[in-house]
Amino acid sequence: MRTIGIGTKISGMVIGILIVLSVVIAYVATSRMQEGIEAFATEKAKNDLNMATRLVDYKYSGAWQIKDGQLYKGSQRINNNEEIVDEIGGATGDTVTFFQGEQRVATNVMLEGKRAVGTKVSEKVATVVLKQGQPYYGQAVVVGKTYQAAYTPIRSADGAVIG
C-alpha cells in the first residue's frame, strides 16, 4: 500500500484552493462586467429617448392628444406612423415604439415578420409609466425578448398620461 506524502497533500490543497479562488474571481468579474454593460445600455437608452423626444417635438408641433380614438402629436397621427419610428430607429439603432395607453400603435419592433402594432407593454412598465406617471429605465420584455429600455409617459395638454 502506497501512502501519499505530506508535500503532495499540501500541494493538492493549495491547487484546490487556487482553483476555487479562480472560479470565484471569474464569477465576480463576469457579474461586474455584466452589470456595467447593462448600466451602459440603460444610459444609452435614456439618452436616445431624450433625443427622440426632442426630434418628435421638433417635427410635430402641438400637444399630444387622443382624437377619434387615435394618438396624435399636434395634427400628426402617430398610429401606424412608420416614418417616425424608422427615423428614430435608424438614428439610434434602437427599437422604437409609441403606445396609446398600453397598446403599441407605431413601432419598428418586429414579430413574425410584421410590425408588432397592437401588442401590449409589459405589466412592469405599465405600472411605472402609465399608472404612476414616471419614466422607466431598465430591463423590459418586449414581445418575448429582453432589452435594456427607457420609457417615458406621453401626456396630453391637461397632464393626463395617454401613452
Side-chain angles (χ1 to χ4, degrees):
M1 183 170 190
R2 207 168 149 176
T3 59
I4 299 175
I6 189 87
T8 304
K9 288 179 182 178
I10 291 173
S11 293
M13 286 175 45
V14 168
I15 289 171
I17 290 170
L18 287 174
I19 288 171
V20 168
L21 187 59
S22 296
V23 168
V24 168
I25 289 171
Y27 174 77
V28 169
T30 302
S31 295
R32 292 289 170 109
M33 192 167 39
Q34 182 67 29
E35 288 170 8
I37 290 168
E38 288 176 5
F40 174 79
T42 299
E43 190 61 30
K44 179 188 181 308
K46 195 177 192 180
N47 290 332
D48 289 350
L49 176 62
N50 185 41
M51 185 275 304
T53 300
R54 290 173 186 246
L55 176 66
V56 170
D57 285 343
Y58 175 77
K59 282 188 77 140
Y60 309 129
S61 62
W64 287 99
Q65 61 185 313
I66 304 293
K67 185 167 65 175
D68 300 324
Q70 302 216 353
L71 181 65
Y72 279 79
K73 175 70 165 86
S75 62
Q76 178 63 49
R77 185 171 54 102
I78 300 300
N79 292 59
N80 297 309
N81 185 330
E82 295 177 3
E83 176 189 339
I84 191 65
V85 293
D86 289 346
E87 183 176 352
I88 295 167
T92 62
D94 296 336
T95 58
V96 179
T97 298
F98 288 91
F99 290 89
Q100 180 178 331
E102 294 183 1
Q103 187 173 3
R104 279 181 181 80
V105 295
T107 189
N108 65 357
V109 173
M110 302 302 280
L111 180 63
E112 299 174 2
K114 296 180 181 176
R115 292 180 189 257
V117 171
T119 58
K120 297 206 174 208
V121 70
S122 72
E123 187 61 37
K124 182 178 181 180
V125 173
T127 298
V128 174
V129 178
L130 300 173
K131 293 178 182 155
Q132 297 172 2
Q134 299 296 315
Y136 175 88
Y137 308 111
Q139 283 193 346
V141 177
V142 178
V143 293
K145 192 172 175 185
T146 302
Y147 290 88
Q148 290 305 118
Y151 295 81
T152 194
I154 295 174
R155 295 182 184 275
S156 63
D158 66 1
V161 176
I162 59 172

